[in-house]
Amino acid sequence: MQARKLKDRLFTAFCIGSTLLALIPLGSMLYTIFVKGFSVISIDFLTKLPAPAGEPGGGFGNAIQGSFIVVGIASLIGIPLGIAAGMYLAEFPGSRVSRVVSFTADVLTGVPSIITGIFAYLVVVLKFGGFSALAGGVALATMMIPFIVRTTEEAMKLVPRELREASLALGAPRWRTTLEVVLSTARFGIITGVLLTIARIAGETAPLLFTAFSNRFWFDGVMQPVATLPVMIYTYAISPFEDWHAQAWGGALVLVAMILALNIGVKLAAGRRW
Amino acid sequence: MRSRVSSLPFFRGISPDTLFQIFLGSIAVLSVLVLAALLLRELIVGAMPALSAYGVEFLFSAEWNPVLSEFGALPFIYGTIVSSLLALLIGVPLSLGIAVFLTEIAPAKVRAVLSPVIELLAAIPSVIIGLWGIFVLAPFVREHIAPLLMEHLGFLPLFRGPAYGYSVLTAGIVLAIMITPIISSVSREALLAVPRLQKEGALALGATRFEAVTGVVLPYARGAIFGAVMLGLGRAIGETMAVTMVIGNSPQLFTSLLHPGYTMAAVIANEFTEATDDIYLAALIEIGLVLFAISMVVNIIARAITWRYLRVQGGS
Amino acid sequence: MESKIEVVELNAGFGSTHVLKNISMSIPRNRVTAIIGPSGCGKSTFVRCLNRIHELVPGAWVRGKVLLDGKNIYDSDVDPVDIRRRVGMVFQKPNPFPAMSIFDNIAYGPKIHGMKKGLERIVEDSLRKAALWDEVKHRLKDSPVSLSGGQQQRLCIARALAVEPEVILFDEPCSALDPVATAKIEDLILELRENYTIVIVTHNMQQAARIADYTAFFLMGELIEYGETAQIFENPRDKRTEDYITGRFG
C-alpha cells in the first residue's frame, strides 16, 4: 500500500519536474536576450548600416528592412496561393484530389527549412544568375504555403454548413457563397493562421543563407542579395568579435520582440474572438 | 439559366461554379502537389552528378574531403541520427511528463497559463536558440554537465573526454528543447482524447493516479503518442541552425557524445556557398535529397498516425 | 384548390439509405401546409427536395418529380439556383451570416440577383414584413449576433423575403425558440400566407393545429395521411396517424 502511494507521489513529482525543467531554458533564453539585447539597442542600432569589422557602432537597420522585404515577397506569393488551395480543400472535400492535396500539404509542413533553401537556389538563384531577395522570398513562400493551406482549410471547415445552405437557399451560386459568406465568416481564423505563419517564417535563417544571402548595404532591388535579421544574427553570432556578439543579441531582441508580439497579440485576439 | 453560364467563347456552357471549382482545384494541385513534385525533381536533378559519380558508396563512405573531391555522407547521416535519437531520449519523457501534468494534474488556472507558455518555446526562431546555445548552453555543458557525466559514467566510451562545449550532447539538448513543445502538445491532445470513462473506471476501482495513467490512459493513447514522437523526430532530423551553431561541425564518426559531430542539415548550411565546383555542390544537394527523403518518410508515418487517431472529420 | 407544387413519386436518400419513399402530394397556393411526424421520418429531407438543397449534401440522391407551377424543377434545363430564389427557406436554427451587418444580411440576396439600387427600400420592406423593423431600425449596421434568438429567426425570414420568393419552406423554425418568440413567428407565418405559399416542418402538433390549413403526416419516409388540418387532428383515417397525434409514439 505504501509502495503504491510512493510511486504515485514520485510520478506526480516527475510530471511537475518535467514541466519546470522545460521552463528553465525558455526563461534563460528570454532573460539573456532581454538583458544582453537591451544594452545594445538604440536608435542607431535600429536605423544604421552595420559598421565594417573592427569599427565600433553601426546597426542592423538594413537587416530589419530586408527581413520585411523578404517576408513581404514570400507573403505576396504564399498567401494568395495558400488561401485559394485551402479554400478548395474546405469547399470541395471528399474527392480523391482533396484528400491527397490535404495530406501532402500536411506532410510538406515537415520539410526541413534548409531544403526549401536548396530548392529556391536551384530554381531562382541558378536560373537568374545570383543571390536575390526574390530567391529568399521564394524559399520562404515554399515553407509558407502548406501551413496556410492547412490553416485556411481548417478555419473554413469550422463554418457551419447551415450558413452555406442559407446562402444557397437564397439562390446564391456556390462561388459567391464561398467568397462572400464562408470566407467572411472564417476570416478571423484565416487571418490568425496567416499571421502565425508569418511569425514562424520571419525567424527562418536556413532557407535564406544561400538565397537572399546577405548584404552590407541597404536593399537595392529584388534581384539583388539582401541582408535579413536572422542571417545577420547568425553571421554575427559565429564571428570572432566580441562587439559583434553583443550586436547579435541586440538583433535577437528585435527579432524575438517582433515574433512574440505577433504571436501573443494574435493569440490574445483570437482568445477574445476579435 | 441564360445568365448562369459563361459567355467567354472557350468556356461557353460551363457554369461559373464549375469554373470556380476548376480554378481553385488547379491552384491547390499546383501549389501543393506540383510544388512537392518539383521539389523532389529539382533535388534529384541537382544531385545527379554526385549520384552517378559515387553511387550507393556515397551513403557509406566516411571520407569528406572536398579538396580531394572525396565525398561520403556517412558522418552526417550518423550525426543526424545520433543527435536526433539523443533529443528523443531527453525530450520524450519530458514531454510526456508535461502532457500528463497539464491534462491530469494541473488545476485549470495553471494549465491555462502554462500551456501557451510552453508553446511559446516553439515560436522562438532556431537561430536564436542557437545563439543561446553558443553563449549559455555550450559553456554550461562544458563546465557542469560534461564533467559530471565523465566523473560518473566516464568508463563508457559515450562519455569519454575531453569535453567540448560544442558537442553532440549540446546539440541533443538543444534539439530536445525544440521538439518538446510539439511532442507535448500533440500528446496532450492524445490524452484528452481518452474517454473519461476509461480513466474514471480505473480510479473507481481504487487505482492511484499513477496506476490509472500508466495502466489505462497511456496505453489507450499510445498510438497517437507514437505519432507525436515521430513528429518530433521529423523536426529534429531537419533542424538546421540551432544544431549548426552548437554541434562543432566536424565530420567524424564520433563515439563520445562529448565530442563534436556534424549533421546533414548543418553541412549544407555551412558549405553550400563555399561549394566551388559542380561535384561539390551536387554532393551537398544529394545530402539534401537524403535528408528530404528521411524526413518525409518520418513525417508521412507521423501524419498517417496522427490523422488516424486525432483528426476529427469536421466540416461538410 | 389551386396547387402551387405537385410532388409526384418522389424518392430521395443518401447513398444506400432510402429516406423518402414514393411521396406524392399537392401543395396548395397561398396556404400553410404542415409536415408532421416523428424525428427521422424524412420531413426535413422532403422540404429540402422542394428547393433542391438536399442534393448539395455529398452522396444525396433524388428521383421523381417536383412540379413548381407545372414545371419539373428536376428537369435538366432547370437551374437549381433559379429554383432556390423562387423557393425560399428558413432553417431550424437561426443562421444569420455572423460576419455581415443586419442590413447586409438582407441585402445579400438581392445583390446576388443583380440588384444594386433601392436596397434600403428592400431591406426596410423585408424587415417590416418580418415584423422586425421597429426593433432593429436604429442598428442596421450592427452584427446580428447581438440579436435574440427570436429576432435572429425573424431576420432570417426577412432575408428570405428579400429575394421575393413564391414559396417559403420553414424547417422547424421554432425548435430553438422560447414560447413568446414562437408565438411571434407563428403570427408572422399566418400573415405571410396572404402572399406566399408556405410549407412548415414541425414536430410540435399544437403548432401545426394552430397555423396550418393542411397537414401531412410522415412516418418512416412514407406519406401516411394528408388532408385538411382539422380532419387530420380530429378525425384521422389511419390508425398510425391517430397513434401519433394522441401521443402514443414519437
Side-chain angles (χ1 to χ4, degrees):
Chain A
M1 202 59 210
Q2 279 316 101
R4 287 181 59 204
K5 280 228 172 96
L6 185 66
K7 258 192 204 165
D8 194 45
R9 290 263 167 78
L10 283 175
F11 177 67
T12 307
F14 167 76
C15 293
I16 296 173
S18 306
T19 311
L20 294 178
L21 194 58
L23 294 175
I24 292 174
L26 179 65
S28 166
M29 271 175 223
L30 294 178
Y31 174 80
T32 327
I33 292 166
F34 190 77
V35 169
K36 295 203 179 189
F38 207 70
S39 62
V40 183
I41 289 202
S42 63
I43 297 293
D44 275 4
F45 181 78
L46 297 175
T47 56
K48 287 254 161 72
L49 284 177
E55 285 178 29
F60 275 28
N62 60 337
I64 296 170
Q65 176 204 35
S67 267
F68 275 99
I69 288 164
V70 173
V71 170
I73 294 171
S75 301
L76 281 180
I77 304 169
I79 294 173
L81 290 177
I83 289 182
M87 206 185 280
Y88 176 78
L89 300 185
E91 295 299 288
F92 304 97
S95 73
R96 180 170 294 226
V97 178
S98 277
R99 280 201 303 274
V100 172
V101 170
S102 184
F103 187 78
T104 308
D106 222 5
V107 171
L108 284 182
T109 58
V111 172
S113 60
I114 188 99
I115 301 294
T116 66
I118 298 182
F119 174 67
Y121 178 85
L122 294 172
V123 298
V124 184
V125 176
L126 280 189
K127 306 237 152 88
F128 292 90
F131 301 120
S132 64
L134 178 68
V138 168
L140 293 185
T142 309
M143 285 198 71
M144 256 180 127
I145 287 173
F147 285 103
I148 297 199
V149 170
R150 298 285 293 122
T151 194
T152 305
E153 180 189 0
E154 272 162 25
M156 289 184 72
K157 277 188 168 171
L158 287 179
V159 175
R161 74 171 295 119
E162 290 80 33
L163 288 184
R164 286 165 230 251
E165 289 189 343
S167 170
L168 295 167
L170 290 169
R174 215 165 164 155
W175 66 276
R176 294 195 72 159
T177 300
T178 299
L179 293 181
E180 293 179 36
V181 174
V182 185
L183 197 60
S184 71
T185 309
R187 67 182 187 271
F188 296 129
I190 296 173
I191 292 170
T192 301
V194 166
L195 292 178
L196 289 179
T197 306
I198 288 175
R200 183 191 290 261
I201 62 151
E204 279 297 339
T205 314
L208 302 179
L209 289 173
F210 33 86
T211 54
F213 198 60
S214 66
N215 194 330
R216 302 203 56 81
F217 303 101
W218 296 103
F219 171 71
D220 187 32
V222 289
M223 296 316 289
Q224 294 301 317
V226 63
T228 54
L229 209 36
V231 173
M232 195 95 142
I233 293 168
Y234 174 61
T235 315
Y236 274 50
I238 61 169
S239 77
F241 314 116
E242 287 280 323
D243 54 337
W244 279 28
H245 296 166
Q247 292 203 318
W249 287 104
L253 178 56
V254 174
L255 185 59
V256 164
M258 292 196 301
I259 288 173
L260 290 192
L262 199 51
N263 251 286
I264 295 171
V266 165
K267 281 179 183 158
L268 285 181
R272 272 196 273 119
R273 288 232 118 277
W274 300 64
Chain B
M1 207 43 216
R2 308 152 309 279
S3 59
R4 305 258 181 244
V5 293
S6 169
S7 51
L8 296 170
F10 181 73
F11 295 115
R12 194 184 301 282
I14 305 176
S15 78
D17 278 352
T18 312
L19 283 179
F20 182 62
Q21 181 170 4
I22 293 171
F23 174 71
L24 290 185
S26 317
I27 294 182
V29 168
L30 206 73
S31 61
V32 177
L33 298 185
V34 173
L35 181 73
L38 201 62
L39 204 64
L40 188 60
R41 193 199 91 104
E42 287 294 331
L43 287 174
I44 292 174
V45 171
M48 208 36 104
L51 279 166
S52 50
Y54 304 107
V56 190
E57 183 58 24
F58 184 79
L59 300 178
F60 300 104
S61 161
E63 293 306 317
W64 183 263
N65 193 336
V67 181
L68 300 175
S69 281
E70 291 177 334
F71 298 106
L74 191 61
F76 313 110
I77 299 174
Y78 174 73
T80 301
I81 292 174
V82 173
S83 59
S84 301
L85 291 182
L86 185 59
L88 288 187
L89 207 64
I90 304 168
V92 171
L94 204 66
S95 304
L96 289 182
I98 294 170
V100 172
F101 176 73
L102 290 179
T103 47
E104 308 285 338
I105 300 173
K109 270 188 191 157
V110 176
R111 181 186 318 151
V113 174
L114 277 190
S115 35
V117 168
I118 289 183
E119 276 163 33
L120 211 57
L121 202 49
I124 298 190
S126 153
V127 69
I128 288 176
I129 296 185
L131 181 68
W132 174 81
I134 291 179
F135 294 105
V136 180
L137 183 64
F140 185 78
V141 168
R142 188 179 58 238
E143 280 153 33
H144 300 283
I145 301 180
L148 202 70
L149 287 168
M150 282 157 62
E151 191 184 328
H152 297 285
L153 297 165
F155 57 90
L156 293 170
L158 275 181
F159 301 110
R160 186 159 301 152
Y164 296 82
Y166 299 125
S167 65
V168 180
L169 177 64
T170 312
I173 296 173
V174 158
L175 285 174
I177 293 170
M178 299 182 76
I179 64 177
T180 294
I182 175 99
I183 301 184
S184 65
S185 78
V186 178
S187 303
R188 215 153 68 84
E189 266 181 73
L191 297 183
L192 288 174
V194 176
R196 290 176 57 87
L197 275 178
Q198 295 275 338
K199 192 185 75 192
E200 285 169 0
L203 291 173
L205 290 174
T208 62
R209 180 153 59 205
F210 170 70
E211 288 160 347
V213 169
T214 53
V216 177
V217 177
L218 288 179
Y220 190 95
R222 66 168 180 260
I225 290 175
F226 182 66
V229 172
M230 293 300 276
L231 278 180
L233 179 61
R235 183 156 299 186
I237 289 170
E239 178 45 50
T240 310
M241 297 319 295
V243 174
T244 308
M245 292 164 86
V246 300
I247 201 169
N249 299 329
S250 159
Q252 47 177 306
L253 298 173
F254 54 86
T255 46
S256 171
L257 298 180
L258 308 180
H259 290 177
Y262 221 154
T263 67
M264 292 188 271
V267 71
I268 299 169
N270 274 324
E271 301 187 14
F272 207 84
T273 49
E274 293 166 10
T276 38
D277 54 65
D278 290 349
I279 192 77
Y280 189 3
L281 191 67
L284 288 171
I285 295 173
E286 186 175 349
I287 291 177
L289 182 63
V290 175
L291 173 62
F292 179 71
I294 295 177
S295 68
M296 284 303 94
V297 168
V298 170
N299 260 286
I300 287 171
I301 295 172
R303 298 293 171 180
I305 294 170
T306 46
W307 270 40
R308 189 169 143 213
Y309 287 104
L310 293 179
R311 201 161 191 253
V312 190
Q313 288 300 330
S316 38
Chain C
M1 182 52 55
E2 190 196 355
S3 84
K4 177 71 182 173
I5 300 175
E6 278 288 336
V7 179
V8 185
E9 292 178 6
L10 183 70
N11 285 274
F14 308 91
S16 58
T17 319
H18 196 160
V19 179
L20 289 179
K21 294 160 194 160
N22 263 329
I23 309 290
S24 292
M25 65 186 277
S26 162
I27 293 167
R29 187 184 299 271
N30 292 4
R31 290 290 180 276
V32 177
T33 303
I35 314 286
I36 61 170
S39 18
C41 69
K43 327 184 271 282
S44 282
T45 306
F46 175 70
V47 291
R48 291 164 63 90
C49 287
L50 303 184
N51 67 343
R52 299 193 57 175
I53 282 280
H54 173 65
E55 69 203 50
L56 295 170
V57 180
W61 53 268
V62 181
R63 281 195 296 274
K65 288 185 193 167
V66 175
L67 307 173
L68 178 64
D69 289 334
K71 170 72 177 164
N72 183 8
I73 64 171
Y74 285 98
D75 277 351
S76 58
D77 64 338
V78 173
D79 186 349
V81 161
D82 202 40
I83 295 304
R84 291 178 201 135
R85 191 197 58 73
R86 293 174 60 196
V87 183
M89 189 161 200
V90 176
F91 296 79
Q92 189 163 358
K93 276 199 313 211
N95 56 357
F97 303 127
M100 296 182 196
S101 67
I102 292 172
F103 184 93
D104 288 339
N105 259 275
I106 294 165
Y108 175 74
K111 275 193 213 155
I112 289 288
H113 297 290
M115 295 269 314
K116 289 193 181 69
K117 280 178 282 183
L119 287 170
E120 284 81 9
R121 178 95 232 143
I122 293 180
V123 170
E124 182 176 342
D125 281 354
S126 308
L127 283 170
R128 281 189 191 283
K129 282 189 209 161
L132 190 60
W133 174 250
D134 290 330
E135 291 161 63
V136 300
K137 63 185 172 194
H138 298 303
R139 46 202 280 214
L140 293 174
K141 294 283 164 232
D142 288 4
S143 161
V145 179
S146 59
L147 300 177
S148 73
Q151 288 173 323
Q152 288 191 13
Q153 194 60 302
R154 278 179 282 145
L155 178 65
C156 293
I157 294 173
R159 182 177 66 187
L161 293 174
V163 297
E164 300 178 345
E166 300 154 31
V167 179
I168 308 175
L169 310 171
F170 287 86
D171 187 0
E172 305 203 22
C174 303
S175 61
L177 304 181
D178 63 65
V180 177
T182 299
K184 280 193 183 160
I185 302 276
E186 288 181 6
D187 290 346
L188 186 56
I189 289 174
L190 287 173
E191 273 173 45
L192 293 173
R193 166 178 181 274
E194 301 290 317
N195 299 308
Y196 303 90
T197 300
I198 289 169
V199 182
I200 175 169
V201 169
T202 178
H203 59 250
N204 178 338
M205 281 174 287
Q206 288 75 30
Q207 183 169 61
R210 282 193 298 267
I211 61 175
D213 301 292
Y214 295 86
T215 297
F217 173 58
F218 277 51
L219 185 63
M220 296 171 76
E222 289 180 70
L223 174 60
I224 304 298
E225 191 168 349
Y226 178 38
E228 290 190 16
T229 300
Q231 176 255 309
I232 295 283
F233 281 96
E234 287 155 24
N235 198 9
R237 296 196 187 94
D238 195 290
K239 178 79 169 58
R240 290 167 293 181
T241 314
E242 188 180 347
D243 286 349
Y244 180 69
I245 60 175
T246 53
R248 250 170 257 162
F249 64 85

